[in-house]
Amino acid sequence: MAISEVVWDMDGTLLDTARAVPAAYIAATEELCGRTVDRDEVLRLYPVGPPAEILARLVGRVLSAEEEEAYYRRLGESPVDPFPGVAETLAALASRGKRLAVFTGASHRAAEILLASAGIGPDVLIGGDEVPAMKPAPDGLAMAAQKLGREPGELAYVGDSPLDMRAASAAGFAAWSPSWGHMYEPETPADRVLDRPGEVLGLLNGF
């Protein structure tokens, strides 16, 4: 079945958040408990869940909704940029009537903050706090397919981490791995490896 639309990961795929997101966690942890953590510790916790889960692990206790605001405040203070070629690729897709769908492990709110900072407005946005199970479970991508009104076999997921590729396969999506991503690993099985965002345009049916 030909691929007609794409669902994108956010961090490390659409947006270069390698500094902004860890910095927000580091600053929020310091504010909430006085503990100093480093970027590597934050990155190791990315697979555990959305921001509330990661921040609670860093601080060492369950946090109130008010305390979680420390992370979102810091996140909003750090502008982020799309990777080179992303804005042009998304504009080209939109010009052909292709919708922009994003499924990210970040919370819906964090994704809104970061995407808005980068000037990106998705048509479909699914955060990690909106699905029953995190990647590599297929839940988020199954939800995306439903929202797009497409069969999984008509869709590709572009995501930089091994968990993204496993989630794509589990959901019945084509798994496209962006080599520019933060967590890209060349040995991770993928249906395609992309060297630049614009390669997506040549891979879509009827583009």
Side-chain angles (χ1 to χ4, degrees):
M1 188 177 295
I3 302 301
S4 57
E5 293 197 72
V6 173
V7 179
W8 301 81
D9 177 44
M10 182 182 68
D11 295 298
T13 300
L14 289 175
L15 305 184
D16 184 358
T17 58
R19 294 183 180 180
V21 171
Y25 280 116
I26 291 167
T29 302
E30 176 72 24
E31 176 183 333
L32 292 171
C33 69
R35 178 170 176 254
T36 300
V37 299
D38 61 26
R39 181 176 179 274
D40 288 341
E41 184 174 356
V42 172
L43 295 181
R44 284 194 295 271
L45 291 174
Y46 272 15
V48 309
E53 294 290 332
I54 295 174
L55 191 59
R57 295 281 190 99
L58 292 169
V59 174
R61 58 179 171 80
V62 176
L63 301 174
S64 68
E66 183 178 348
E67 288 176 314
E68 291 171 14
E69 288 299 311
Y71 169 71
Y72 291 107
R73 285 197 306 273
R74 300 290 187 169
L75 196 63
E77 296 169 357
S78 302
V80 298
D81 294 311
F83 282 101
V86 163
E88 295 82 357
T89 299
L90 299 184
L93 290 169
S95 74
R96 299 294 184 94
K98 303 295 185 180
R99 293 162 291 180
L100 173 55
V102 178
F103 168 50
T104 173
S107 68
H108 190 103
R109 182 179 173 192
E112 285 184 324
I113 291 170
L114 291 166
L115 289 166
S117 176
I120 295 174
D123 300 296
V124 173
L125 174 59
I126 300 168
D129 57 338
E130 298 176 281
V131 297
M134 294 292 291
K135 305 170 192 178
D139 302 49
L141 293 178
M143 186 182 297
Q146 183 178 31
K147 287 180 178 291
L148 291 169
R150 296 285 191 180
E151 293 298 319
E154 298 178 87
L155 298 168
Y157 187 44
V158 183
D160 64 310
S161 80
L163 292 181
D164 293 328
M165 296 297 91
R166 289 168 58 191
S169 296
F173 282 43
W176 295 355
S177 183
S179 63
W180 64 85
H182 299 156
M183 303 183 78
Y184 169 70
E185 295 181 1
E187 64 273 16
T188 298
D191 295 310
R192 287 188 179 272
V193 174
L194 308 176
D195 291 323
R196 54 185 180 81
E199 290 178 30
V200 166
L201 305 178
L203 299 173
L204 294 183
N205 182 47
F207 183 78

